[in-house]
Amino acid sequence: MENVREHNRKMKQFFDNCAENWDNKCSHNSDKLAAIVTLAGIRKGFRVADIACGTGVLFPEILKREPELLLGIDLSDEMLKKAREKFAQPNIRLYAGDLFDVAETGFDAAFLYSAYPHFPDKPALAQQVSRMLKPRGRFLIAHSESRERINLRHQGREVSGLSWPLRPAREEAAVWERWFSIDLLADNDEFYLISGTKSDMG
């Protein structure tokens, strides 16, 4: 595998180039987004991390729950620029950079929506998310379509080198069980979901 710095450079470049028209070409079912955020159990005053948040597709649903903080994290400055144009709420903070450079902790919930295939080192990802969360904090990996459709989309020439195929949710969940108690799996025509809470040993 290429080194992390080079991988991140290519990833950032790809999404920077896509940012201008991203919201026009990528649509998301609003009912599914609401369901995904509801499953995370966010309550007023929570601190929430949206990892690889892009232009902020989950932000409206998260903000309805009145979090104390919504931290959007993304490698792409241009994606975050679009998010900034759409959302100016004082409880939103955006971080342009590598997730693994985020030192902040104490989050109640962390989302990875439509982003999981772009992380090559899944155990390192799970460990970093665990480090960021409070005890019993919840992570939620989510896609609002089937694994088969996601994997097919990521076979394109440009994106294939920047993503790794999703395995069945049960197999992917096994990676996270070292740090989390998994209590939600879906791998069907409508959703791909993995979720759980930080274990006492996490």
Side-chain angles (χ1 to χ4, degrees):
M1 190 191 309
E2 64 188 342
N3 66 53
V4 172
R5 186 184 298 274
E6 180 63 12
H7 169 74
N8 286 352
R9 184 193 68 78
K10 290 180 179 179
M11 188 82 72
K12 172 177 161 43
Q13 182 180 48
F14 175 81
F15 284 103
D16 279 349
N17 291 340
C18 293
E20 184 62 34
N21 295 309
W22 189 258
D23 287 339
N24 295 326
K25 72 177 186 178
C26 292
S27 61
H28 301 265
N29 182 297
S30 59
D31 291 336
K32 289 186 176 183
L33 295 181
I36 287 165
V37 175
T38 298
L39 287 171
I42 296 170
R43 299 195 298 274
K44 183 176 181 179
F46 268 27
R47 302 177 78 250
V48 180
D50 188 353
I51 297 165
C53 66
T55 63
V57 65
L58 283 186
F59 285 10
E61 285 297 330
I62 295 172
L63 290 169
K64 287 178 184 177
R65 278 72 177 177
E66 300 182 65
E68 175 188 299
L69 170 67
L70 169 52
L71 176 64
I73 303 163
D74 205 283
L75 279 173
S76 170
D77 305 82
E78 294 299 317
M79 286 285 195
L80 293 183
K81 179 180 177 183
K82 291 295 178 184
R84 216 170 266 115
E85 291 171 358
K86 296 189 293 180
F87 305 99
Q89 288 87 339
N91 56 342
I92 293 177
R93 181 152 39 91
L94 301 178
Y95 175 84
D98 189 342
L99 169 69
F100 294 95
D101 292 332
V102 174
E104 195 164 351
T105 61
F107 290 93
D108 298 282
F111 289 94
L112 292 95
Y113 176 68
S114 286
Y116 191 61
H118 296 296
F119 289 87
D121 190 338
K122 302 302 198 281
L125 172 62
Q127 186 173 24
Q128 172 66 357
V129 172
S130 174
R131 190 193 63 78
M132 292 172 63
L133 288 171
K134 293 179 179 178
R136 306 206 177 180
R138 177 170 293 278
F139 85 94
L140 199 149
I141 294 164
H143 293 268
S144 53
E145 56 189 352
S146 70
R147 172 166 48 92
E148 289 76 14
R149 290 191 65 181
I150 296 160
N151 287 341
L152 183 63
R153 182 175 298 114
H154 286 181
Q155 289 176 8
R157 182 176 61 84
E158 282 189 302
V159 74
S160 62
L162 300 175
S163 63
W164 285 259
L166 287 175
R167 299 180 296 169
R170 179 65 262 169
E171 292 181 29
E172 292 286 358
V175 174
W176 293 74
E177 287 176 337
R178 177 175 174 185
W179 297 276
F180 294 90
S181 298
I182 306 300
D183 56 16
L184 174 62
L185 293 174
D187 193 346
N188 54 45
D189 290 342
E190 297 296 325
F191 289 100
Y192 181 93
L193 299 169
I194 305 170
S195 186
T197 55
K198 182 174 176 177
S199 65
D200 294 338
M201 300 298 292

